[in-house]
Amino acid sequence: MQANVQQFPPFREPEPAHGHDDHGHEHHEPGFWTKYVFSSDHKVIGIQYGMTALCFLLFGFFLMLLMRWQIAHPTQPVPFLGPLLAKTLGPMAAGGVISPDLYNAFGAMHGTIMVFLGVVPLAFAAFGNYVVPLMIGAPDMTFPRINMASYHAFFLGGVVMFVSFFIPGGAAQAGWTSYSPLATTIPTNGQAFWLVGMVLLITSSLLGAVNFIATIIQLRAPGMTWMRLPWFVWAQFVTAFILLLAFPPLEAAGVLQLMDNALGTSFFLPTGLAVAGKVGEASGGGSPLLWQHLFWFLGHPEVYVLILPAMGIVVEVIANNTRKPIWGYKSLVYSVLAVGFLSFIVWAHHMYMTGMGQKIATFFQATTMIISIPSVIILTCMFLSLWGGSIRINTPMLFALGFLPMFGIGGLTGLPLGLAAADLYLHDTYYIIAHFHYVVAPGTLFALFAGVYFWFPKMTGRKMNEFWGRVHFWCSFVFMNLVFMPMFAQGIKGMIRRMSDGGVNYSAARVPGAIDTLPGSVMELNTWILWAAVGLGLAQIPFIINLFWSIKHGEKVGTNPWQATTLDWHTPTPPPHGNFPKAPRIVRGPYEYNAPGFEGSFAPQAEFPAADHGHAQPAHH
């Protein structure tokens, strides 16, 4: 039966001119620039994306620390860094104090950097680029140079965003959602920089998405049928489609808002708009709501762009460390397809406050409840996979296990927000921040850390230190919860987000005797959250040192240190240019652990027609 599996087009053998030879003198070694900067090898591009995204995550986290200081201690200078802020950012940080305008800029750029420059490039582009071609048996991505262009557009977009901090007037201040008409009326060119940066980032994602779709459809190895794909590949495939369909409306909207800002058009500016007590000069006739529709048409599918690759990583780590097949593989596949489809018809639950009418609100309320079902199925399959497993506890598994309850809390607290009646009360409070961050910070980021620890040996041939990995996990787990859990209480009590003073003007201390003021106990939580955030920052130091130290000094490992079944673990370590010395032939599913009729604890997916005479068993168990 296996001999009849057809592949179109056939597997492309790596070209001999580009491959590594045994003696190293058949071709000249590429120089530094060709190898590390202008490389078209998917593995190098994956590492470029990964390192850049980790740097942006660190920078975005640093902005959050400054914001938490300002919320806990409004009008007080930032300790240690105050003079530096005053010197680099000018009047907006006079005396080392974060002004409300600078707080708004930090808030807008924290959200933008974490989502578009941190999590998406790391989850989708870095892991996808490195791992997907290896998992499907491809020698590279379908369009290697487009892949390189995708990274360069991403890097340029990041540079534009970063530079905007240092222009007169500072960076964008209209929130990461850049709502019109606010985004057009703020007197800074930072908003234009934000839009140019977004256009570059969107272009990067679109190039990547086209490449992933073409690669997964066209370059699978012989025998790699759709239902033999590792689930991580399915997650990346659906994510690529979401990006391809949801990003173009926002790119168009970004260009239109840029024209509003720079050329005096009014696509999103209404007639008779008053700014600072004067009627604006815009010709009017535009619709601010149109911007919200175009933004959230990307903004909600974007949540699944963040979470699906993360779920894919967790499934791979759980299957490997429970030493049994993942529970409900087909359910997982159909669920991820359902999530991809449904993600396009839930966006207006972000817009219940816009007065769009009860009928349309009811529709989006229904779709929001429906999309939670496939997400719950995916999470349930992960939990059930643990049942009866011979579980190995290592650092990747700890982060994968930590992901499960954290994502569960994030998802369950989102259900009240999907109901229009509850959302009217909770909208724009700290409850929203807590809900969203539980999905993305202890949820997605834990999964991404699991991926870093899991595939690091494949990239470098060395393992990261296990002890410091566990220190990193437990400290991060504790402090993440101490940062975000109190925000649920603050939000339910009515603390509004985006206030540079943390709601002091609405506190019982400032307005004694007023109805519904924020009690002192809620205000005090701001100080606790600040110190928990500092602890969370310190918890990342072991990870950073471990990452760089292990590249040279980590414990050396063989080709398959985790005893995994998927194809990525059966290439040389690190994989050479072209990935596979011989084209693999796929003969079984992706998670055949402790499979009946096979000696040893795991059965690799492929048989390699090499000197081992087709016997797929690796040398060590």
Side-chain angles (χ1 to χ4, degrees):
M1 176 183 160
Q2 298 304 333
N4 296 328
V5 174
Q6 291 299 311
Q7 178 72 12
F8 180 79
F11 179 88
R12 246 185 14 217
E13 290 282 2
E15 296 170 29
H18 299 289
H20 287 277
D21 57 278
D22 294 334
H23 310 290
H25 54 244
E26 282 186 22
H27 65 284
H28 68 280
E29 192 67 23
F32 173 83
W33 288 95
T34 314
K35 196 169 180 182
Y36 295 110
V37 180
F38 296 101
S39 173
S40 58
D41 187 319
H42 72 95
K43 298 178 290 296
V44 176
I45 292 169
I47 291 169
Q48 285 176 330
Y49 261 117
M51 297 310 287
T52 312
L54 284 170
C55 290
F56 276 120
L57 282 173
L58 192 62
F59 180 57
F61 180 82
F62 175 68
L63 293 180
M64 183 275 287
L65 278 182
L66 292 173
M67 291 162 67
R68 290 309 319 180
W69 169 265
Q70 166 66 14
I71 290 169
H73 304 289
T75 71
Q76 292 186 29
V78 179
F80 309 120
L81 295 171
L84 181 65
L85 287 175
K87 200 170 179 181
T88 51
L89 301 176
M92 295 177 79
V97 176
I98 297 173
S99 66
D101 284 347
L102 186 58
Y103 177 88
N104 287 340
F106 283 173
M109 297 308 287
H110 166 75
T112 305
I113 287 167
M114 288 307 223
V115 172
F116 296 110
L117 286 162
V119 178
V120 173
L122 186 58
F124 177 67
F127 285 113
N129 259 306
Y130 200 97
V131 176
V132 166
L134 296 176
M135 278 189 162
I136 64 173
D140 205 322
M141 297 291 265
T142 311
F143 307 116
R145 288 202 173 131
I146 286 181
N147 208 15
M148 177 174 71
S150 166
Y151 172 72
H152 289 162
F154 158 70
F155 186 77
L156 279 174
V159 168
V160 170
M161 293 277 187
F162 183 72
V163 165
S164 70
F165 279 101
F166 306 102
I167 63 171
Q173 295 168 28
W176 78 284
T177 54
S178 191
Y179 276 3
S180 285
L182 178 66
T184 306
T185 54
I186 291 176
T188 170
N189 291 328
Q191 212 64 43
F193 275 68
W194 188 90
L195 289 163
V196 170
M198 283 303 294
V199 167
L200 285 164
L201 295 174
I202 291 169
T203 303
S204 158
S205 289
L206 292 176
L207 292 174
V210 168
N211 218 345
F212 274 78
I213 292 167
T215 302
I216 293 169
I217 291 175
Q218 296 284 52
L219 292 190
R220 285 169 290 136
M224 180 64 86
T225 59
W226 286 104
M227 284 298 167
R228 284 178 176 170
L229 285 176
W231 195 73
F232 177 75
V233 179
W234 272 110
Q236 293 282 357
F237 188 58
V238 172
T239 303
F241 268 107
I242 293 174
L243 285 170
L244 189 65
L245 297 172
F247 252 143
L250 184 61
E251 184 150 29
V255 172
L256 296 180
Q257 195 180 76
L258 191 58
M259 290 166 72
D260 279 6
N261 289 5
L263 303 178
T265 57
S266 57
F267 290 104
F268 305 119
L269 300 179
T271 305
L273 180 66
V275 181
K278 297 177 187 169
V279 176
E281 295 174 7
S283 57
S287 166
L289 267 190
L290 176 60
W291 169 267
Q292 289 198 32
H293 278 293
L294 292 170
F295 181 87
W296 287 117
F297 188 75
L298 160 89
H300 201 84
E302 180 75 10
V303 175
Y304 297 98
V305 170
L306 304 174
I307 201 70
L308 289 181
M311 287 175 156
I313 293 168
V314 172
V315 164
E316 298 303 319
V317 173
I318 285 178
N320 179 257
N321 285 302
T322 53
R323 313 308 293 160
K324 61 198 276 285
I326 200 78
W327 194 92
Y329 173 82
K330 286 190 175 177
S331 303
L332 283 167
V333 171
Y334 297 139
S335 294
V336 77
L337 292 171
V339 165
F341 172 73
L342 289 167
S343 69
F344 287 98
I345 49 174
V346 296
W347 80 88
H349 67 212
H350 296 269
M351 298 168 60
Y352 287 143
M353 298 287 276
T354 59
M356 59 182 161
Q358 281 185 320
K359 285 193 173 64
I360 201 78
T362 305
F363 169 79
F364 283 105
Q365 183 173 283
T367 55
T368 303
M369 292 297 130
I370 292 166
I371 199 174
S372 65
I373 296 169
S375 305
V376 169
I377 292 171
I378 292 169
L379 205 59
T380 305
C381 288
M382 294 180 193
F383 273 114
L384 287 173
S385 297
L386 302 172
W387 184 263
S390 175
I391 299 176
R392 300 188 304 200
I393 298 295
N394 47 41
T395 306
M397 189 60 170
L398 280 174
F399 275 104
L401 291 173
F403 166 89
L404 298 175
M406 297 298 97
F407 176 73
I409 291 170
L412 289 171
T413 54
L415 291 176
L417 300 173
L419 301 169
D423 185 72
L424 295 179
Y425 176 73
L426 294 168
H427 188 84
D428 256 349
T429 66
Y430 266 80
Y431 184 96
I432 303 268
I433 293 185
H435 149 67
F436 176 70
H437 282 78
Y438 259 98
V439 173
V440 176
T444 300
L445 282 180
F446 273 19
L448 298 182
F449 280 131
V452 171
Y453 285 100
F454 187 63
W455 278 297
F456 186 86
K458 178 49 63 179
M459 298 178 187
T460 62
R462 295 174 185 271
K463 261 188 185 175
M464 288 173 72
N465 183 284
E466 190 69 22
F467 172 78
W468 289 109
R470 290 172 187 235
V471 169
H472 175 217
F473 168 74
W474 285 110
C475 292
S476 296
F477 187 81
V478 170
F479 285 121
M480 280 274 194
N481 282 287
L482 290 177
V483 169
F484 296 116
M485 190 61 79
M487 293 183 189
F488 286 120
Q490 290 183 318
I492 289 170
K493 282 289 188 182
M495 184 181 282
I496 303 295
R497 60 197 285 202
R498 301 195 185 97
M499 286 186 170
S500 63
D501 63 3
V504 166
N505 284 325
Y506 297 90
S507 68
R510 180 69 61 89
V511 198
I515 297 169
D516 275 351
T517 47
L518 295 169
S521 57
V522 167
M523 299 303 297
E524 283 166 16
L525 288 174
N526 285 332
T527 309
W528 288 101
I529 292 171
L530 167 66
W531 292 112
V534 170
L536 182 59
L538 295 175
Q540 306 318 303
I541 293 172
F543 169 72
I544 296 167
I545 295 172
N546 195 355
L547 183 74
F548 288 105
W549 186 85
S550 299
I551 291 171
K552 283 271 190 284
H553 306 288
E555 176 200 339
K556 281 192 174 179
V557 293
T559 303
N560 189 3
W562 304 117
Q563 300 178 318
T565 55
T566 48
L567 213 50
D568 46 319
W569 293 103
H570 296 279
T571 62
T573 298
H577 194 69
N579 298 341
F580 298 92
K582 294 275 185 187
R585 173 168 288 281
I586 311 304
V587 294
R588 56 179 65 83
Y591 306 117
E592 299 290 328
Y593 290 100
N594 289 299
F598 198 90
E599 315 147 16
S601 64
F602 64 107
Q605 270 196 285
E607 289 182 350
F608 288 90
D612 60 3
H613 306 297
H615 196 345
Q617 185 76 0
H620 59 283
H621 291 287

